Structures are given as structure tokens and as C-alpha cells.
Amino acid sequence: MSIQNKVVIVTGASSGIGEATASLLAARGARVMLAGRRADRLEQVASAIGGDVAWTVTDVRRHTDVRALVSGTVERFGRLDVLVANAGVATVAPLDDLTDEQIDDMVSVNLNGVLHGIAAALPVFRSQGSGHFVQTVSTSGLRIVAGQTVYAGVKNAVRTISEGLRQEVGPSIRVTAVSPGMVRTEFVGERPPASNPTALATWEQVQKVAIAPDAIARAIAFAIEQPKDVDVNEIVVRPTAQG
Ligand SMILES: NC(=O)c1ccc[n+]([C@@H]2O[C@H](COP(=O)([O-])OP(=O)(O)OC[C@H]3O[C@@H](n4cnc5c(N)ncnc54)[C@H](OP(=O)(O)O)[C@@H]3O)[C@@H](O)[C@H]2O)c1
């Protein structure tokens, strides 16, 4: 019933929800491997956390990177208890305006990235006889909003995969899908131009109502710290002010 000594990979740990999750889990005694593309940010986060923390530059769009992340973690810490597949990107715009690259990126990071993690970690979890997949989904998939169609669709694919995975893995492996609402991170980016009113409206709402990323970190910690026969499958954490 403890996070103490658990070995946890957090993807997207260079900022936002991933950074907050890595910090909270490390504070509760986890040994954490941080993953993301920005080495400078990973290094900063690792040194701010201190303790038994390491980092690996990883692009989750590449299955070779994700396999190396998982095998490197097992080499470094001797096992893997939890994979928090949190890396994500979004472009808010109607389908008319999305570029091929923006669509590919949302699919490759948010969906393929999660599948790469499952492919790499599942054999490790099987051989240990235990493990926990945590995937960051989104309330965008629960209340569908124009301008977030591809993002919501891809996040809902992850929600579906989480449930299928849960049924397939049997009693020794746990699966949790966490759906944050609006969270104050770098995710929404710079103020969009008035020429993209859909994105601008979302951005303005986020500035008004978003909550701190620690709220999501606490939800992830809650799922991890349950007894091993308790599987917290879905958690939704929204700002009270989110419509
Ligand atoms: N903020 C919100 O309102 C909100 C709401 C619902 C769901 N979410 C979800 O929460 C998750 C975390 O987002 P956040 O809000 O914390 O935003 P963020 O601060 O922008 O963090 C996104 C993280 O994903 C990483 N990332 C992006 N592309 C990657 C790639 N190809 N390979 C590896 N890592 C990659 C980034 O690191 P690098 O740039 O260093 O690679 C960064 O650490 C995402 O899955 C997002 O969809 C966020």
C-alpha cells in the first residue's frame, strides 16, 4: 500500500503534469525515471527533485526510444513497477485548419506513444508478475468540444485501449486512465491569434479556470498507493469552474 521504493517511469516529465507527478512520487519514496525530449529540462527537474532520480531523453513517437527507456530503467533500478504514459501534445483548431503534421503529431505522441510504452513494459510486467500502467487521458474526450476533435478522438482511443488492456492483462497488472480537465501548464502555449477564435476561446477559459498540476499528481499517487488487488481504472479531475 505504499509508493516507497516503487520504480516509476514518467513520460512528459520535463514540464507540467509529468513534472509534478515525478516530484510527488519521488517525495513519497519512489525511484523515478524521467522521460521527454528536452535534456536541459529533464536535468533541471531531476536536480530539483534530488534523490534516486534519473532521466533519459526519449521521443515517445519512436518505439526504439521507448524500448530503450524501459530497458535502461530496468538496468538502472532492477525492475519497473509503474509506467506513467503522460507525454502529450494538442493543437486546438477546426479540422479545416489542422495541418497534416499537426494531425500526425497528435496521433504519434498521444496514441502511438502510449502503445509503444505498453509494448515495451508489458513483457517486463509479465515476467515480474506485477506492474501498473497509468495513462493521462483528458476530459476533452468526455465533453466533446469543437476544435479538439482529433485530440479528443485520440485520447478516447487511449481510454478504450486502457479498458481493453485491463481485461487482457489479468489480475496481476493494473491499468489506470487519468482524465485531467484544464490544468495550468505549458500545454496551452502562447495566446492564439484572433484569426483562430476556437483556440483563443479555449486559451482564455484555461487562463480563468485551470488548476495546478499537483492535483493530477495526487490522483496518480492515489491509484498507485492502493493495495495490489485494487485497480483504480478511471479518475476524472476537473476544476470546479470548468463547464
Ligand atoms: N494541461 C491540460 O489542461 C491538460 C488537460 C487534459 C489532459 N492533459 C494531458 O496531460 C499530459 C501532460 O500535459 P501537460 O499539461 O503537463 O503539458 P506540458 O507541460 O506541455 O507537458 C507535455 C509533456 O509531454 C512531453 N512530450 C511532448 N511530445 C513528446 C514526445 N514526442 N516524446 C516525449 N515526450 C513528449 C513534453 O516534453 P518534451 O517537450 O521535453 O518532449 C512535456 O514534458 C498530456 O498527455 C496532455 O494531453 C493536459
Side-chain angles (χ1 to χ4, degrees), residues 11-18 35-38 41 58-61 86-89 109-110 136-139 151 155 179-188 206:
T11 72
S14 49
S15 56
I17 293 169
R37 291 164 305 171
R38 291 169 292 174
R41 293 291 294 265
T58 309
D59 187 333
V60 299
R61 292 173 295 189
N86 167 75
V89 293
V109 178
N110 301 340
T136 308
V137 192
S138 175
T139 59
Y151 176 70
K155 287 292 190 182
S179 292
M182 291 176 177
V183 180
R184 208 174 307 114
T185 67
E186 297 170 12
F187 198 62
V188 286
V206 170

Side-chain angles (χ1 to χ4, degrees), residues 38-78:
R38 291 169 292 174
D40 55 335
R41 293 291 294 265
L42 292 171
E43 193 173 13
Q44 275 169 22
V45 173
S47 74
I49 293 174
D52 213 356
V53 173
W55 53 275
T56 307
V57 170
T58 309
D59 187 333
V60 299
R61 292 173 295 189
R62 291 203 278 265
H63 63 80
T64 46
D65 275 26
V66 180
R67 282 190 197 281
L69 169 67
V70 168
S71 62
T73 303
V74 173
E75 222 165 86
R76 166 83 159 74
F77 294 110

Side-chain angles (χ1 to χ4, degrees), residues 91-98 144-149 182 188 191-206:
T91 304
V92 177
L95 278 158
D96 288 297
D97 299 336
L98 285 174
I144 309 301
V145 175
Q148 300 176 24
T149 306
M182 291 176 177
V188 286
R191 185 189 175 88
S195 57
N196 185 351
T198 312
L200 186 56
T202 304
W203 187 89
E204 281 174 345
Q205 206 202 354
V206 170

